[in-house]
Amino acid sequence: MQDKLQINLFSSTHRGYRFPFTVKMMNELQNIANKNRVKICLHAQEPAVNMWKQYFRENPPQIETLYLQYEDENYMNRVHNSHQTDCKYSCKLDDDVLVSRHVIDYIVDNLGSITPKNPIIAPILTNGMPSTELFIQDFLSEEDKKTAYDIFLKTPIENHFNLDYSQIDQKVRSMTSWNDREYWDFVANADTKWQIKNLPWCYFIVRGIHPARLSYEYNKFIAEKIFANKDKFFSKHDYRMDTYVTPYFTNNMFVSETNYWRETSKIHGGGFDEGQLSVRMMMDQSSVLYIRNGFGIHMAYGMTHKSHDLERLYIQNL
């Protein structure tokens, strides 16, 4: 295999209005330092492929770029095709994520840090599970941290994924101050009723629920803080790796060895790959390496309230 990193950008058609935001991410990628160690693979349906081809006719790529065209929006098809690369390392990058070129440079320079004990490198995203906690700690002032935590405390934890999160909701309601470690330790052992609902065995791990995944108010607050501090977001920082063990991992951008990502996807079926990764790390007693000060935006999840409004807010301001 080539000792390279393939960055797999999953570009959507049904939300084509994201394209200017994704172009911003592409501009960051095109300006990284070590271009020879990186390959970009664009996964998209025909309309998005055509937009990218037009973009690159006007802005010739500085990095080797491939296209894979799809008939539909099936997410796991994109994941499985990403696994076919001859690059040793793979990055999954959704089109609603933005990090600076400096974060990419740090990842490329530290690919050797990936080991069986720490199989994944990930930036800290605005609403990643659990990287949102690290984003708040590293990006916000003390006053703004309190504001974010107060929003968490008043955010109802709704049921999703056919699971019962009522115990988690009651836990949040009982907290008088936000304690991230206390929250995640409780989530790890909460009864989500997956067994009595006759759900597949893998649902025991589906615990990626958090106020940051749901709250419009929190995500809008974070967006406004980024707009007011763009230099801080896009500047180069002193980075370091850190672990933060929780019962679930979901980051819409992460890097691992291609073989690890491929083999992990075989653990169970599902519409996304976060559950398989969470199960694998629990089985292996391994953990993610998060990049402290490695700031990243993930605009919103499908379950985030007013997700389209948040996406348009980012597009208008970045």
Side-chain angles (χ1 to χ4, degrees):
M1 301 185 81
Q2 297 186 69
D3 189 28
K4 287 187 174 185
L5 170 66
Q6 178 168 299
I7 297 175
N8 298 283
L9 175 56
F10 296 173
S11 190
S12 65
T13 295
H14 71 291
R15 294 192 180 184
Y17 60 83
R18 289 176 177 172
F19 190 71
F21 182 88
T22 314
V23 165
K24 179 71 174 172
M25 180 69 249
M26 184 61 71
N27 289 341
E28 293 297 315
L29 287 171
Q30 296 295 326
N31 285 285
I32 63 173
N34 199 341
K35 297 178 176 63
N36 292 331
R37 286 202 70 192
V38 173
K39 181 189 297 185
I40 297 172
C41 185
L42 288 159
H43 301 254
Q45 291 178 269
E46 184 176 4
V49 168
N50 290 338
M51 285 194 292
W52 281 114
K53 288 182 176 178
Q54 176 62 35
Y55 170 78
F56 283 124
R57 279 194 290 269
E58 299 168 2
N59 305 273
Q62 304 300 306
I63 297 173
E64 180 183 358
T65 303
L66 313 172
Y67 303 91
L68 283 181
Q69 187 168 308
Y70 297 81
E71 295 297 321
D72 56 36
E73 290 277 0
N74 186 287
Y75 194 86
M76 289 307 291
N77 284 345
R78 288 157 168 74
V79 171
H80 293 317
N81 283 328
S82 299
H83 297 162
Q84 307 312 310
T85 180
D86 62 350
C87 293
K88 182 177 179 180
Y89 301 97
S90 288
C91 171
K92 185 187 80 168
L93 176 61
D94 287 350
D95 66 352
D96 55 355
V97 170
L98 176 62
V99 300
S100 78
R101 67 197 68 176
H102 306 296
V103 174
I104 302 293
D105 283 335
Y106 183 78
I107 290 172
V108 173
D109 289 343
N110 289 276
L111 290 171
S113 298
I114 293 174
T115 66
K117 182 181 178 181
N118 302 115
I120 291 173
I121 296 175
I124 51 175
L125 300 186
T126 48
N127 50 29
M129 305 288 100
S131 65
T132 184
E133 311 285 2
L134 307 180
F135 184 95
I136 290 169
Q137 292 173 23
D138 291 358
F139 193 81
L140 298 184
S141 68
E142 291 302 315
E143 180 181 358
D144 289 338
K145 288 176 192 174
K146 184 179 185 307
T147 300
Y149 295 151
D150 286 346
I151 294 171
F152 287 173
L153 293 171
K154 64 181 181 181
T155 300
I157 302 298
E158 305 150 348
N159 293 336
H160 286 279
F161 313 114
N162 296 314
L163 293 170
D164 184 343
Y165 291 135
S166 59
Q167 286 189 2
I168 301 172
D169 181 59
Q170 292 168 15
K171 174 62 179 177
V172 173
R173 291 174 184 274
S174 73
M175 297 171 75
T176 56
S177 62
W178 185 256
N179 183 315
D180 55 291
R181 192 67 268 169
E182 180 183 344
Y183 174 82
W184 284 111
D185 288 348
F186 183 88
V187 168
N189 296 298
D191 181 7
T192 61
K193 307 292 193 297
W194 70 273
Q195 289 174 300
I196 65 172
K197 289 174 175 282
N198 294 317
L199 294 168
W201 69 268
C202 54
Y203 272 73
F204 84 91
I205 198 69
V206 183
R207 298 170 187 273
I209 195 71
H210 189 281
R213 194 166 191 168
L214 302 170
S215 171
Y216 170 76
E217 184 180 357
Y218 164 76
N219 282 284
K220 183 173 184 288
F221 173 72
I222 288 293
E224 290 170 345
K225 291 302 168 182
I226 292 171
F227 304 152
N229 296 277
K230 290 180 185 178
D231 286 346
K232 182 174 183 178
F233 184 88
F234 287 105
S235 294
K236 186 175 182 178
H237 297 278
D238 291 330
Y239 304 115
R240 63 182 175 87
M241 303 286 194
D242 197 5
T243 58
Y244 187 99
V245 178
T246 57
Y248 201 80
F249 167 76
T250 181
N251 237 49
N252 296 66
M253 176 184 176
F254 67 83
V255 173
S256 70
E257 288 193 356
T258 303
N259 287 338
Y260 177 87
W261 190 19
R262 182 191 304 115
E263 293 305 310
T264 299
S265 71
K266 300 174 183 177
I267 291 175
H268 63 77
F272 299 95
D273 56 352
E274 60 194 51
Q276 295 94 320
L277 291 165
S278 298
V279 170
R280 175 73 182 271
M281 286 188 282
M282 182 199 68
M283 292 167 58
D284 294 347
Q285 295 186 312
S286 59
S287 55
V288 177
L289 291 173
Y290 294 102
I291 305 170
R292 300 306 297 257
N293 294 314
F295 307 125
I297 293 165
H298 173 234
M299 292 195 285
Y301 296 92
M303 67 182 64
T304 307
H305 292 207
K306 299 183 181 179
S307 60
H308 289 191
D309 291 350
L310 290 165
E311 291 176 336
R312 290 188 169 90
L313 180 68
Y314 273 114
I315 292 162
Q316 291 164 6
N317 287 276
L318 290 177

